[in-house]
Amino acid sequence: MAVGTRPTSHRPQSGPAAVQRRGRSARDRGDGRAGYVFLTPWLLGLMAVTAIPMLMSLYLSFTNYDILTPWSDVEWIGLKNYQRMFTADPAYWHAVKVTLVFAFIATPLKLGSALGVALLLNRSFRGSGLFRGLFYLPSLLGGSVALAMVWHSLFDRGGSVNAVLGWFGIEGKAWVNDPSTALGTLILLAVWQFGAPMVIFLAGLKQVPNELYEAAEVDGAGSFRKFLSVTLPMLSPVIFFNLVLETIHGFQGFTSAFVLSGGTGGPVDSTLMYTLYLYIRGFANYEMGYASAMAWVFLITIGLVTAVLFRTGRFWVHYSDGDD
Amino acid sequence: MSAPRILLRGLMAAALVLPLALAGCGGNDDSSSSGKTELTFFWWGGEARAKLTQQALDLYTSKHPDVTFKTTWQANQGYFDKLATLTAGDGAPDIFQIDDNYLAEYATRNVTEDLTKYKDSGKLDVTKFPESLWKYGVVDNKLAGMAMGENTQGLVYNKTKIEAAKQAAPTTGMTWDAFIAWAVKAGPAAKTAGTMDPSADYKAFWVWLRQNGKQFYNGNQLGFTKEDVQKWFELWKGARDAKATPTADVIHEGNATDITKQLVVTGKALTSWVWANQMPDIQKNTKDTLGVVAYPGDPSAQWARASMYFSVYRGSKHKDAAVDVLNFLANDPDAGKILGTDRGLPSNLDIRKTVSATTTDPAMKASIALEDELVSKFGPAPSVPPKGHATVKTELIKAAEAAQFGTADPAKAAEQFFTAAQAAISR
């Protein structure tokens, strides 16, 4: 993991370097040609399965394409899909709200849990490797359908969660089937899958040089002070990396919502995530043009959120140049 | 121009041309050259259905060695996603199974072949079908699919539990009030809820509407008013308040289309609202003995519905062969024997007679008995639900659940459904 170190050696420098580059250009071109040849399969794949479909979807977002009608018959309707989305589709705004609630609650909780457990597992003790593996396991199972089904039965009326609550005399309910708690169970499932950011945090913690802690101790810092003044700043690039990744991940929540609600976003739209709503519009209602427009707004929104994160990152992400 | 740039340009051109070239290879019209025809065939269902269908098709191949099949099947969930995607890529199967939730979607967009000319020439023989049954495949004056079985609405009840609690079983023809009163009493006696709350169930709502002189659809319009929906929601609010039904979270489970989640299967209610031909499937999933009667109210509001259809893809290169297969599946006595009642009662009345006489499955017998009992009472079949019906169904579930969970009162929920349903079918 190269997070936290920034390459400093290959920066273009002043005059002499430029001359040097021009001098090597013939060989560079040869290298470049070989590079392109090696890249060919990837470039073909990029074109066929990413670039061309994306451009098609951009085109379709301005049409009334419904999947079943042949391409040649689709009608250009201009910005109507976008107009309808923003002004005439209350379910759309509901889906936006659900997604924002999900992303802004699940992401910080997940990162907090990941960092907390990473700090605990960072020291070596008997079986620490085993624990690291066990905590990582849930996120290996990731977006799997099976996991969502397990979650469903855990939080169902006769599920284990209610059995445990029963020991304390609390009467449970079908948490996954109640509009007031269904999204909560999804958030819990997302938080529980904190293994992937945890592993990255662990890697980051290993990179913090021990001398800094020793120096802090000499200055009389306690463990909390050490965490605030050494660990957090040294870890900030890793935190930033995880934050960006998990925020995007949070916006894209689909599988668990799809499985737990049987593909409907129910009960009463409480788990209608953006991507799930997009899927319903495209594949159940046959409004692929509209779904494409939704996808493009989604892409741009995620791009903006990421850009904002990068902006704010300047103020709190600390890169230590040159160390290894 | 530099070499990489030339190379890049070539690659881009290749990437553009490649999909087209591949698409070109896809359509193989080999019927003319070698005399062999391979038909693609796609349906949803379980393993039992897969086995039966394969047997019937093998029988066809043994009689017509020049025709073979490439079959694909899968569970109901995701079936229509896949069918739509295949259609979009111009790769829809020659023959595919479809039901009235989606028939109009496909027919109005000209995905299905109009079978009228085959019917008129006798190549697709429907003379032994009840007339209303084959007509239930007509959309915009075009015969979009061949009915591959008949069913009707059925109220399935748990005989074992009701008898153990010393209660009377529900009967065909009881009024809605009498039924709810029965559920209020029988439920607690059997230590479960009396009935699944069907307010989210379009077919129950539909039967109730017909009993009140309305329809679900009049052509491409809604056949009911906002007030009708409100009355329907209020009827069931009363039932919930009287504890005739389980709580809202349990009802939500039963609203899934998955038959194994029906409350009569999971033991969370004494009765569920289904299609009568689903009886054997439901029975398979519970140890208790089940019975089936008509929905409450006047049973003449029910109708003989085509449980599903087979349609021929309009872009198929082997339409004549495909139609001949459909004709064989519906009218050949041996094929009829193999397929049995898996897709509903056989459409061909002669075959239905032999199959009914020889069936041994008690659940199927009960379903046939109900159909036999109702056949003289059935009202005229409504026309096939219009485009957008699948969305209307999910909107009804959404609104009914809002009323069940109390996030909206019946009036507000009714208004919400009415507006959404109107938008869905007028798209």
Side-chain angles (χ1 to χ4, degrees):
Chain A
M1 183 88 4
V3 179
T5 55
R6 196 161 53 176
T8 49
S9 49
H10 299 298
R11 276 184 200 153
Q13 273 137 32
S14 47
V19 173
Q20 208 184 348
R21 269 182 65 182
R22 200 176 305 140
R24 284 207 324 220
S25 71
R27 219 179 83 200
D28 265 2
R29 247 198 313 250
D31 284 355
R33 201 174 303 150
Y36 280 116
V37 170
F38 281 116
L39 273 175
T40 305
W42 183 83
L43 279 175
L44 280 177
L46 176 76
M47 286 291 162
V49 304
T50 308
I52 294 176
M54 271 183 81
L55 290 177
M56 282 176 176
S57 110
L58 182 61
Y59 166 71
L60 289 175
S61 74
F62 298 105
T63 69
N64 63 353
Y65 182 56
D66 62 14
I67 278 206
L68 298 178
T69 308
W71 272 74
S72 45
D73 294 350
V74 301
E75 196 187 324
W76 181 270
I77 57 168
L79 288 170
K80 271 205 188 121
N81 283 329
Y82 294 90
Q83 202 182 358
R84 175 175 159 211
M85 194 186 312
F86 293 131
T87 60
D89 187 359
Y92 174 83
W93 289 109
H94 180 77
V96 168
K97 201 184 94 188
V98 170
T99 310
L100 289 178
V101 169
F102 177 81
F104 285 126
I105 297 182
T107 309
L109 286 179
K110 188 177 184 178
L111 288 178
S113 317
L115 182 57
V117 176
L119 286 169
L120 288 178
L121 292 179
N122 190 31
R123 47 198 94 189
S124 296
F125 54 91
R126 249 174 95 90
S128 60
L130 176 75
F131 279 107
R132 284 173 200 160
L134 283 178
F135 277 108
Y136 184 53
L137 208 58
S139 56
L140 268 185
L141 301 167
S144 89
V145 172
L147 199 63
M149 288 173 84
V150 169
W151 212 252
H152 190 282
S153 63
L154 275 178
F155 284 89
D156 209 346
R157 186 162 271 270
S160 321
V161 171
N162 283 340
V164 172
L165 287 176
W167 298 343
F168 303 99
I170 302 168
E171 205 205 331
K173 56 178 175 177
W175 306 92
V176 285
N177 289 343
D178 193 303
S180 58
T181 52
L183 188 61
T185 59
L186 286 185
I187 290 175
L188 220 55
L189 174 57
V191 172
W192 182 60
Q193 297 175 322
F194 62 73
M198 179 200 77
V199 166
I200 297 169
F201 276 137
L202 266 175
L205 286 172
K206 297 273 178 227
Q207 292 208 343
V208 181
N210 225 7
E211 303 92 75
L212 292 181
Y213 288 116
E214 284 160 9
E217 253 165 61
V218 170
D219 290 343
S223 54
F224 183 65
R225 182 79 226 178
K226 277 193 284 184
F227 174 72
L228 270 189
S229 304
V230 180
T231 314
L232 274 187
M234 292 305 289
L235 208 56
S236 60
V238 183
I239 295 174
F240 178 67
F241 174 81
N242 272 335
L243 180 68
V244 171
L245 223 61
E246 292 302 327
T247 306
I248 294 174
H249 207 164
F251 275 103
Q252 291 174 333
F254 176 83
T255 313
S256 53
F258 181 84
V259 175
L260 260 74
S261 73
T264 63
V268 203
D269 284 351
S270 57
T271 60
L272 190 68
M273 303 268 219
Y274 195 97
T275 47
L276 181 56
Y277 184 56
L278 189 157
Y279 166 85
I280 290 171
R281 280 290 174 194
F283 282 102
N285 300 6
Y286 296 149
E287 296 177 85
M288 202 47 91
Y290 189 67
S292 300
M294 279 186 70
W296 277 89
V297 172
F298 190 56
L299 178 75
I300 291 165
T301 309
I302 288 192
L304 284 177
V305 169
T306 311
V308 168
L309 285 178
F310 269 90
R311 266 294 153 91
T312 59
R314 283 186 199 169
F315 301 107
W316 59 270
V317 178
H318 167 82
Y319 290 103
S320 59
D321 269 341
D323 76 330
D324 246 322
Chain B
M1 187 185 291
S2 68
R5 218 173 274 174
I6 293 170
L7 186 65
L8 201 59
R9 194 166 280 189
L11 286 176
M12 282 171 78
L16 281 169
V17 173
L18 200 65
L20 300 176
L22 290 176
C25 313
N28 50 335
D29 189 3
D30 51 6
S31 59
S32 48
S33 52
S34 63
K36 290 252 182 227
T37 306
E38 190 187 59
L39 293 173
T40 46
F41 202 127
F42 186 33
W43 70 88
W44 76 84
E47 257 182 77
R49 174 175 296 170
K51 224 178 257 170
L52 298 176
T53 312
Q54 194 63 52
Q55 272 176 33
L57 295 178
D58 288 347
L59 182 66
Y60 184 88
T61 302
S62 71
K63 292 187 178 179
H64 307 85
D66 50 332
V67 179
T68 55
F69 297 94
K70 202 173 139 200
T71 59
T72 329
W73 60 278
Q74 66 170 67
N76 197 346
Q77 174 138 36
Y79 173 86
F80 283 102
D81 299 355
K82 184 160 178 195
L83 186 59
T85 316
L86 287 171
T87 308
D90 199 22
D94 297 310
I95 303 172
F96 53 88
Q97 186 174 307
I98 194 163
D99 65 9
D100 60 9
N101 291 319
Y102 282 98
L103 188 69
E105 299 273 358
Y106 280 75
T108 54
R109 289 168 175 122
N110 281 322
V111 177
T112 52
E113 174 71 8
D114 179 9
L115 301 173
T116 311
K117 59 176 184 290
Y118 293 103
K119 177 189 74 73
D120 291 344
S121 70
K123 282 188 174 143
L124 183 64
D125 183 8
V126 295
T127 51
K128 296 276 171 57
F129 289 30
E131 198 186 5
S132 69
L133 186 62
W134 72 257
K135 278 197 172 157
Y136 202 52
V138 175
V139 180
D140 292 347
N141 297 318
K142 286 183 272 188
L143 184 58
M146 182 195 74
M148 195 57 211
E150 176 186 306
N151 66 9
T152 191
Q153 296 84 356
L155 181 74
V156 49
Y157 60 92
N158 188 322
K159 219 180 220 169
T160 310
K161 280 208 172 107
I162 291 172
E163 276 170 8
K166 300 205 167 49
Q167 297 294 310
T171 53
T172 290
M174 69 199 301
T175 65
W176 290 84
D177 288 340
F179 172 72
I180 290 170
W182 171 86
V184 170
K185 196 162 138 286
K191 295 200 174 59
T192 179
T195 177
M196 164 69 183
D197 172 348
S199 52
D201 191 325
Y202 81 101
K203 53 189 185 295
F205 180 44
W206 199 337
V207 168
W208 180 85
L209 280 174
R210 279 163 66 99
Q211 288 164 345
N212 290 294
K214 303 280 179 68
Q215 280 290 351
F216 205 97
Y217 299 109
N218 283 326
N220 294 334
Q221 301 282 315
L222 296 178
F224 55 87
T225 64
K226 220 183 312 186
E227 287 70 33
D228 294 323
V229 193
Q230 187 180 337
K231 256 188 240 162
W232 171 250
F233 284 170
E234 272 163 1
L235 173 73
W236 288 102
K237 183 175 187 310
R240 287 192 299 274
D241 292 346
K243 304 261 184 291
T245 73
T247 49
D249 55 341
V250 177
I251 296 170
H252 171 71
E253 253 167 68
N255 284 337
T257 48
D258 185 354
I259 203 80
T260 59
K261 303 272 172 64
Q262 285 297 334
L263 301 188
V264 83
V265 174
T266 54
K268 287 170 181 164
L270 292 177
T271 55
S272 276
W273 308 69
V274 300
W275 295 106
N277 74 314
Q278 294 175 316
M279 272 292 285
D281 252 348
I282 300 173
Q283 181 66 73
K284 226 172 280 165
N285 285 292
T286 167
K287 287 193 188 99
D288 295 348
T289 308
L290 304 177
V292 61
V293 292
Y295 284 2
D298 184 353
S300 71
Q302 293 193 196
W303 67 93
R305 172 206 186 226
S307 48
M308 54 191 78
Y309 313 81
F310 283 140
S311 288
V312 174
Y313 177 45
R314 194 155 172 261
S316 162
K317 294 197 171 77
H318 316 290
K319 287 177 200 161
D320 293 349
V323 170
D324 194 55
V325 172
L326 295 197
N327 192 46
F328 172 82
L329 293 176
N331 296 315
D332 184 272
D334 293 328
K337 234 175 268 170
I338 293 171
L339 293 170
T341 52
D342 177 72
R343 286 186 170 86
L345 298 185
S347 304
N348 181 316
L349 289 171
D350 291 350
I351 292 176
R352 189 184 297 184
K353 220 178 270 169
T354 40
V355 168
S356 314
T358 53
T359 186
T360 52
D361 179 359
M364 200 66 230
K365 269 190 173 161
S367 149
I368 294 172
L370 173 67
E371 198 100 12
D372 282 348
E373 181 198 339
L374 294 181
V375 82
S376 58
K377 297 179 187 150
F378 276 144
S383 54
V384 175
K387 203 162 99 171
H389 175 57
T391 313
V392 172
K393 275 172 63 184
T394 51
E395 290 294 344
L396 178 62
I397 293 175
K398 207 180 281 179
E401 287 189 348
Q404 285 158 4
F405 284 108
T407 53
D409 62 9
K412 202 178 149 215
E415 166 139 26
Q416 177 198 327
F417 167 61
F418 191 78
T419 317
Q422 242 175 352
I425 56 171
S426 59
R427 226 174 50 225

